[in-house]
Amino acid sequence: MDVERWSRIDALFDEALTLPPEERAAFLDRACGDDRELREAVERLIVADESANTFLERPPLIVLEGGEEAAEGSRFGPYRIERLLSRGGMGTVYLATRDDGQFERRVALKLLHPGTDDPEDLQRFRAERQILARLEHPAIARLYDGGETEQGVPFLVLEYVEGLPLDDYCDHNRLEIDDRLRLFRRLLDAVSYAHQNLLVHRDLKPANILVTAEGEPKLLDFGIAKQLAREREGEPGLTRFRMMTPGYASPEQVRGEAITTASDVYALGVVLYELLCGRSPYRLKHGLPHELEMAILEQEPERPSQALDREDGPPAERIAAARCMKPRELRRQLRGDLDTIVLTALRKEPQRRYQSVIELAADIDRYLQEMPVSARPDKPLYRAGKFVRRHRLSVALTGLALILIAGLFISLVQQRRRVERERDTSRAALAFLVDVFEHADPYQKGAENVSARELLETGARRARLELASDPEVQAGLLDAIGQASVGLGQLDDAAPLLERSLAARRRLPPSLELAESLEHAGWLHFLRSDYDKAEPLLREAVALRRRLPSGPTELAAALVHLGTLLTERHQSTDEARSREIEGILLEALGLYQRASDDLGVASTRFQLAKVKKDRGDLPGAERLYRQVLSAQRRLYGEDHPEVAQCRRALALTLIVQAKPGEAKALLRQALASQRRVLPKDHPDIAATLNDLALAYTRTADYASAEPLYREALASELANHGENHADTATVLFNLASAVQGQGRLKEAAELHERSLATRRALYGEKHIYVAQVEAMLARIRSEQGRHGEALDLARRSLATGRELLEPGHNELIGPLRAMGTALLNAGRPAEAEPYLRESLDILRKTRAPGYFQTARIEVLLGDCLARLGRREEARSMLAQGLATLEAQFPPDHPWVKDARAKLDLVKIASR
């Protein structure tokens, strides 16, 4: 049908809809004249519209004979109705229970609509009973019983399936593509079984395919199924438009032609299309029935991998997240075999589709087994690629098959350079290799081999040697390998790859690929604590994405990277910096929210929680972290590295608020999941070990904390060396644990190492530097080196006062150090205000009963005693001692020290 003809039909249809039904015939007489074909086309659209507005969308009414409503408890023989389940074209389905004393069973009771006297409907309803009676398949809802009411209304008693529609089940459980295919494959067995019994379902759609909580599919509703044997014997098939669901109908159903098993193949293709890419195969402007009909008849569906980027419906990020992927990964997996399988099932001409459900199932099996599918041309390059994919595990284990991959594809690229399709072949080789490499990145889909590092090293080496003449492709491949190396924690391996990729892309015109390389290289420098190099690269990436037509989520991701760097580098303590960081993150949050990107929203809120924590708003940070954790568990699952990171961040916030019990539980969960999915030497594991040790430290269990710190330190030194932020943090924490056990000399040496690294990374004026200076000041004070202790304490407190708001919890350490140094130097009057200020902040920011609060109470009590204010001293010491006695044994050094000081005050008061 040409465009002009269709426009004429569409215009007449629209005009007819504006008229009362009784006036439409006269209008068509005038408008169509003798053009019978034109009139029939318009009338068919009107029928379609009416059926959609009445048959498909009429509200469910629970009525029985005579129009009475069926109340709960109405009976049909031994079956008692509980509630309405659904209402379809011919019948109403209720949830019912058999309770006649013989046995109890919940069933689905289906009744023909009351008042139906259409012989065709009665025939079809009775035919459904005959159809179901002979179907015995675990994936088809069973028929238990049937009969007629006293008024002659037939009813069926069916297996009650408690479950979700197929598409909802897959999205709710975030099934990956292969798992969706396996579930769909079991459905195909049921449809094939029906076909073998000479039945065409004719209404296959997700709502008629329920999946139980155990993951078992159940095919429902054979109410409009067609018995092929009867038609062949001369009984006519029923082809009225209303006896189908338009969105899943085949072209031949829409045209009213003969229905065969190919119609079910087409409907299955629509269902599979939606399962894979989350979109309908039809691109509709207005969603009108006639528009859908023409799309089914004439519009060629676009490939599922391309449909993901359509603007209608949910954003690509949300669809991909429901499949535990990112949009780029999902496009790559759909591209090729899955595109071909789906489009073959959706051919307009029945003879060009899969000729049976068995053929469709066989191609899905081939795809899942990494075998060539029958719907694709059997070319050598294609078969070679499938061979390599089937043996990916052995490739990873031995490294030898990677050479086969690279050698095969790169040699083919070199051969094809002599022909016009050089670039396409290079792109194909790149896409294939990138897909293999990304399987080694646990932040993508989970590492599945133990020699991923060897795999990446081999790929990088061959890419440098054999793709030198194609810098664009080489840069993309090196960037992908570098990113996978970052995901594995191999930062030193990743650095030259990402730097070389960036350098190559800088020599090309500005592009989004350059922005990507800037982000990747900048983030690598951030992870290596080289903030001076990281910040300009990340700022350049953001600026380039603003200048080029970048997608909103890509810009948002670049903003989050920059905000994360600035948060870590500047700690959100400077007011101007704090406003800049918050503005960057809020812009990213808005972009993600407008795109309905739940993963992006979660990642941005994670960084905003960090800003709140740095500002001292611990309850606010805790609330945000809990929101993020809940979202990430829903979107990622329990074992994803991002979920572990959020558990760590929440645990640290709880530790600071003196909630070590829950913090330990969260950290143990994080550590267990990391050990399951990450390499044993991954930096994330070391970080979680450090945090778990910190939780023990905050309960003064230094002996349990020390071995965890030492394991973390060994890993950090192996991964990053001495001059890294994470190494400095573990050194600081280990020193505190050693200090708590009284080994002051060893603790001081560890603190000196941490201080040197932090000064090199952050400069003199940074709160991380002030933290170490405060702890070292306390050690020097206990060692009697009062001048050195006072110098360190003054520097620490001056930095804290300059960078932090009054009352910030990070001021506790410098204030305590200053008070301790002055007290031990014999200057209690000067020490008192510092000790009081630190105690006030502790009481505001920590839960009652925190042992560190008690220790400062003892210090202040001692200070007051030295000033001769014995009653105040006595009250303060008694308060601190009571807290310490509640948490530690009587012979603990802190308890003994507090008791001795209190006894001295009591004696002096007599």
Side-chain angles (χ1 to χ4, degrees), residues 498-566:
L498 295 179
E499 288 168 2
R500 183 162 183 165
S501 174
L502 175 59
R505 285 173 167 171
R506 281 195 185 281
R507 290 191 290 270
L508 299 168
S511 64
L512 294 176
E513 286 75 16
L514 173 58
E516 189 175 67
S517 273
L518 288 165
E519 279 182 65
H520 294 166
W523 191 248
L524 173 69
H525 288 308
F526 166 74
L527 294 175
R528 301 175 87 187
S529 298
D530 193 344
Y531 303 135
D532 289 336
K533 289 183 179 178
E535 186 169 340
L537 291 174
L538 293 176
R539 287 190 183 277
E540 185 180 355
V542 169
L544 186 56
R545 288 202 180 276
R546 290 192 193 280
R547 193 165 72 248
L548 297 174
S550 181
T553 56
E554 285 77 10
L555 174 58
L559 288 166
V560 170
H561 280 138
L562 178 59
T564 303
L565 163 74
L566 296 176

Side-chain angles (χ1 to χ4, degrees), residues 604-654:
T604 310
R605 283 180 172 157
F606 181 89
Q607 291 305 322
L608 285 167
K610 180 75 163 56
V611 172
K612 285 185 177 292
K613 180 173 179 288
D614 290 341
R615 285 178 175 172
D617 182 5
L618 298 175
E622 180 185 343
R623 283 193 299 273
L624 268 180
Y625 280 135
R626 290 191 187 279
Q627 290 175 14
V628 174
L629 180 59
S630 176
Q632 287 184 339
R633 290 175 67 188
R634 173 174 53 84
L635 295 167
Y636 283 128
E638 292 294 335
D639 277 351
H640 195 280
E642 294 287 358
V643 176
Q645 293 283 44
C646 192
R647 284 192 169 112
R648 283 186 53 221
L650 174 58
L652 288 173
T653 306
L654 294 172

Side-chain angles (χ1 to χ4, degrees), residues 399-449:
L400 295 177
L402 178 65
I403 298 174
L404 169 63
I405 298 170
L408 171 63
F409 278 89
I410 294 172
S411 65
L412 284 171
V413 169
Q414 292 171 335
Q415 294 170 20
R416 295 282 184 104
R417 291 189 194 284
R418 294 191 296 268
V419 299
E420 293 180 354
R421 299 184 63 181
E422 167 194 346
R423 180 69 59 191
D424 290 342
T425 308
S426 298
R427 295 288 185 194
L430 173 63
F432 182 85
L433 287 172
V434 168
D435 179 55
V436 174
F437 293 138
E438 286 191 344
H439 276 77
D441 181 357
Y443 271 84
Q444 299 293 327
K445 295 179 72 174
E448 61 182 22
N449 54 70

Side-chain angles (χ1 to χ4, degrees), residues 441 478-488 494 498 519-521 523-524:
D441 181 357
L478 291 176
D479 182 77
I481 301 172
Q483 279 297 94
S485 298
V486 170
L488 288 167
L498 295 179
E519 279 182 65
H520 294 166
W523 191 248
L524 173 69

Side-chain angles (χ1 to χ4, degrees), residues 344-360:
T344 301
L346 290 176
R347 297 287 189 193
K348 303 296 184 189
E349 309 86 352
Q351 66 274 14
R352 294 185 63 205
R353 294 175 208 148
Y354 289 104
Q355 290 306 291
S356 69
V357 174
I358 293 175
E359 286 188 11
L360 171 59

